[in-house]
Amino acid sequence: MAHTGTQTQPVRSCLLLVVVSVWVQQVEGVWPLPQQLHQSADRDCLSPQRFSFTYGRDSAAQTGCSVLDAAFKRYFSIIFPDFTKGSENRLQYVWSEPQPFVVSVSVKTRGCDGYPDEDSDESYNLSVSEGQAVLRSVTVWGALRGLESFSQLVYQDDYGSYFINKTEIVDFPRFAFRGLLLDTSRHYLPLHAILKTLDAMAYSKFNVFHWHIVDDPSFPYQSRTFPDLSNKGAFHPFTHIYTQSDVIRVIEHARMRGIRVVPEFDSPGHTQSWGKGQPGLLTPCYKGGVPSGSFGPVDPTIDTTYKFMESLLKEVKFVFPDSYVHLGGDEVSFACWQSNPNVRKFMEKMECLKTHAVRVTQCLLLSQIPQDTVLEIWKGEKYQAELSRMTQAGHRVLLSAPWYINHISYGQDWRNSYAVQPQNFSGTEEQKKLVIGGEVAMWGEYVDVTNLTPRLWPRACAAAERLWSNEEKTLNADLAFPRLEEFRCELLRRGIQAEPLFVGHCKHEYDGL
Amino acid sequence: MAHTGTQTQPVRSCLLLVVVSVWVQQVEGVWPLPQQLHQSADRDCLSPQRFSFTYGRDSAAQTGCSVLDAAFKRYFSIIFPDFTKGSENRLQYVWSEPQPFVVSVSVKTRGCDGYPDEDSDESYNLSVSEGQAVLRSVTVWGALRGLESFSQLVYQDDYGSYFINKTEIVDFPRFAFRGLLLDTSRHYLPLHAILKTLDAMAYSKFNVFHWHIVDDPSFPYQSRTFPDLSNKGAFHPFTHIYTQSDVIRVIEHARMRGIRVVPEFDSPGHTQSWGKGQPGLLTPCYKGGVPSGSFGPVDPTIDTTYKFMESLLKEVKFVFPDSYVHLGGDEVSFACWQSNPNVRKFMEKMECLKTHAVRVTQCLLLSQIPQDTVLEIWKGEKYQAELSRMTQAGHRVLLSAPWYINHISYGQDWRNSYAVQPQNFSGTEEQKKLVIGGEVAMWGEYVDVTNLTPRLWPRACAAAERLWSNEEKTLNADLAFPRLEEFRCELLRRGIQAEPLFVGHCKHEYDGL
């Protein structure tokens, strides 16, 4: 036995625990559940001092790949939280030399500097054996998903030692679009809250941040073309805005986690805050044949509206790299339009705006919905009928209606989200394929930075698993419960203020307050 | 104009704002609403450098009074948050000398080292005029309530200057018992979360912390007499317990804020966690005539039970200074007792345990409920009938049933709490007087440190006003809404993570995350 300064606690425990490994093994602790996962009771002890990530020889990406270099660093801290905090650098007895463990990552295509998109291949294979793990994927985005799964396979015993069981994973997402909406108009969310949400999204394998950035109550986006929109339309022109640099930071933080940023500039309704910085944009409402002084949706009858919208959208398309821009189109107040004689004439001429049941670009910009527009089913309890109808018309669809998780209720309401079956509607196999995914929505009427995180997590995880995993293997919420409880504790360990699912405790409670 | 290092921003703004004071005046910004409040548009500018608290010459308490000395220090920071953070110590232009402002506090009886109790007089009179405020009360506890109201009268303009309007307040609580329950058994709440809750309670003039400290899931109270109760019954014997020193700290933190600490050791049911560290305490349940291996409530048939309970309660009465100990007595599982032949015999002999609709000491310790026991109405939607029945029997009662605010729902559910009328039941005037107050309960099934504060605040504030203020003046929730919104922003400013009531923003958003 020799004295040294470091590296011993893990080893001592490793030796001791070989004896009891049969009872304390951890199985299937990955959320969302991989498509195929096989674990054995054999396990390996990980020593942070001898642990490394490396690029496989045949990997298209090598050192210098921004996305993966950063991910290696990030996941090292996630996997070894105690070590990173320095608490294991204590004087201890050495029982034996720690063994090395190498995670070799190989991707087929480089693409380290690009952005994830709707066609990104997120599949990966992960094989964990003695002293090593081999992670293979087509893209760096798939490698990120694999690293996340790998990090969830590592666990600590009561003495703080790190272990991983021998594991084989073949994994890929069920749906390509797994989104989460934040609403930064009804309440302003500070930048750090958005970045933290992106972190937690990556842990749950969400891949689209739908940024509902502006709406009636406020316009926090600081436009370079129209600075008055936030100067006059934000809650406060300095403290409650997103500067261009904030937006870039969000996009880059998301990119590093394989997350797309789809901005929404909802119009022609939901634009009250726009009117403050852009006089003449909104429709003057009429009462008794004269303007009442209040304003309705964007005024579709005048040329300046189209010029303004074109310039703004041009900027948006320049700032946000994603090929999608969400144009809202929901809940247009027709009463004001109908009160205005010019708009009434215009509507008669255009024969449009007769429906507003879907959140899509509307008559203002397009007289018909083009076939390649993705429709989002966001309203109503009978969303199955909408799914059926929209896919029959050949549109690709996103499901959001059952995942408005800002609607809280007492108890384990994640079970409702978990029970959703996005392809369980009347239609052909071809129609089912048109469901490209779904998204969780956290609308902001009653949510700001004070309660955002505990309302989101772990409640959003239910949809995350539904959108990623095989439905047949994840039908039973009772079976999912202990795995979700464990994942929630893992979120706490990673600094996410995720609320409890039920009575109990985590070994490491949340200590971020 | 001269250069100096400090003290100028407030003065400049004071001068500028005399002109517009008519529009920006702040009226009735106190929560809960004082019994009588008169404000004028005349206002005084406060300069932190020339502001002081002092004891009135005729005050029974003088410098050295622990409660008030500490309160002066605390409220100075609360009233001048910017100054305390040092941001006003900038180089600025001086326009004129700031004027002094003195808050003179006089109490009739000293009692600085005692504890608040059910008979404590919390009334106070506050008179704010030019350059001074005079706060008079019978006790130091009343002075604390007055200081809280005073702190809420001070506001800042857009330039950061502090103002207070001329104000006359005559105030006293409607009910003597205004409680808030935290449950530290279903989830462990770290000490700092309890202390923070006590802070927020004081801001809302709650005066009883009902500490539901142990229950079925865990026994975090570290008993000096029976250390095994937490060693074996806590979620973790080191990290998830309240040591004696923790308990002392909670009691002292509460005392300094005029808050009583009423501990609850719920029995004979809700004691599963007790059994782990106290073998033989719980009733063995029977199945098919033999012990099933599971255990029910405390076993009332054996002598050791009574000796144990006596010792534990003796300790509890020693550790907790309040004259109340809550003994629960609710939700006893009769099935187990009835399965056990010894208990069945015992029950037949005692002719008791036929009711469990109220949370009181039960047959185990007392064969009848003594007249001086305060009953808590905690169950059922028809709590009015219970109020009527219990007060007719001459018991003093506490209302809690409509204030189980762990039961969340979407939207502004504080309005339900606000609509409660504790004395609106069928009964005589004498019966109405037996309602000594009520309490908000935050049970812990789905609540831990991650979501406690945003679920509590500002939702609990509705009951705080109902229990303190004149009901006739506070019937209308719509009228209360803007004042509650303002108070919620004030809570954020004081570091309380209080969730939003609806769409909007605060000038100073929560920055504690």
Side-chain angles (χ1 to χ4, degrees), chain A residues 80-240:
Chain A
F80 303 111
D82 287 338
F83 183 76
T84 314
K85 286 180 189 165
S87 66
E88 298 220 354
N89 291 317
R90 296 187 305 260
L91 189 70
Q92 287 159 4
Y93 289 103
V94 170
W95 290 61
S96 77
E97 270 301 301
Q99 297 302 304
F101 193 99
V102 178
V103 181
S104 161
V105 178
S106 294
V107 301
K108 274 199 181 155
T109 55
R110 200 175 133 76
C112 297
D113 303 315
Y115 292 89
D117 63 32
E118 58 183 322
D119 299 319
S120 293
D121 186 323
E122 292 174 287
S123 66
Y124 68 93
N125 290 357
L126 176 64
S127 170
V128 181
S129 54
E130 201 180 330
Q132 69 164 2
V134 176
L135 171 60
R136 296 189 167 278
S137 65
V138 178
T139 67
V140 292
W141 319 119
L144 289 177
R145 305 296 168 241
L147 288 170
E148 177 54 43
S149 296
F150 178 83
S151 74
Q152 293 187 28
L153 293 173
V154 180
Y155 56 98
Q156 284 184 281
D157 66 10
D158 287 343
Y159 303 92
S161 293
Y162 298 98
F163 290 92
I164 191 164
N165 286 49
K166 287 188 183 170
T167 307
E168 297 293 328
I169 292 180
V170 175
D171 204 10
F172 51 87
R174 177 180 176 199
F175 294 109
F177 192 112
R178 304 178 307 281
L180 187 149
L181 175 149
L182 291 185
D183 168 4
T184 56
S185 174
R186 289 176 177 80
H187 287 98
Y188 177 78
L189 295 172
L191 186 63
H192 69 83
I194 296 176
L195 300 183
K196 195 80 147 178
T197 302
L198 290 167
D199 292 347
M201 285 173 66
Y203 303 151
S204 305
K205 297 192 173 76
F206 279 107
N207 68 349
V208 181
F209 169 42
H210 175 169
W211 194 350
H212 188 86
I213 191 165
V214 300
D215 203 306
D216 283 329
S218 76
F219 196 103
Y221 172 74
Q222 191 176 48
S223 161
R224 36 178 106 187
T225 323
F226 304 101
D228 269 354
L229 289 171
S230 63
N231 281 343
K232 298 184 179 167
F235 284 134
H236 189 286
F238 302 134
T239 58
H240 288 64

Side-chain angles (χ1 to χ4, degrees), chain A residues 186-187 240 406-407 410 445-446 448-451 455 488 497-505 509 513, chain B residues 186-187 235 240 406-407 410 445-446 448-451 455 488 497-504 509 513:
Chain A
R186 289 176 177 80
H187 287 98
H240 288 64
N406 53 309
H407 290 135
Y410 184 66
E445 280 84 352
Y446 303 102
D448 72 2
V449 67
T450 62
N451 57 357
R455 284 207 182 185
R488 182 253 167 181
Q497 195 182 346
E499 68 180 19
L501 291 162
F502 197 52
V503 174
H505 78 293
E509 303 281 7
L513 286 175
Chain B
R186 288 176 177 80
H187 287 98
F235 285 134
H240 288 63
N406 53 308
H407 290 135
Y410 184 65
E445 280 84 352
Y446 302 102
D448 72 2
V449 67
T450 62
N451 57 357
R455 284 207 182 185
R488 182 254 166 179
Q497 194 182 346
E499 68 180 18
L501 291 161
F502 197 52
V503 174
E509 302 282 7
L513 286 175

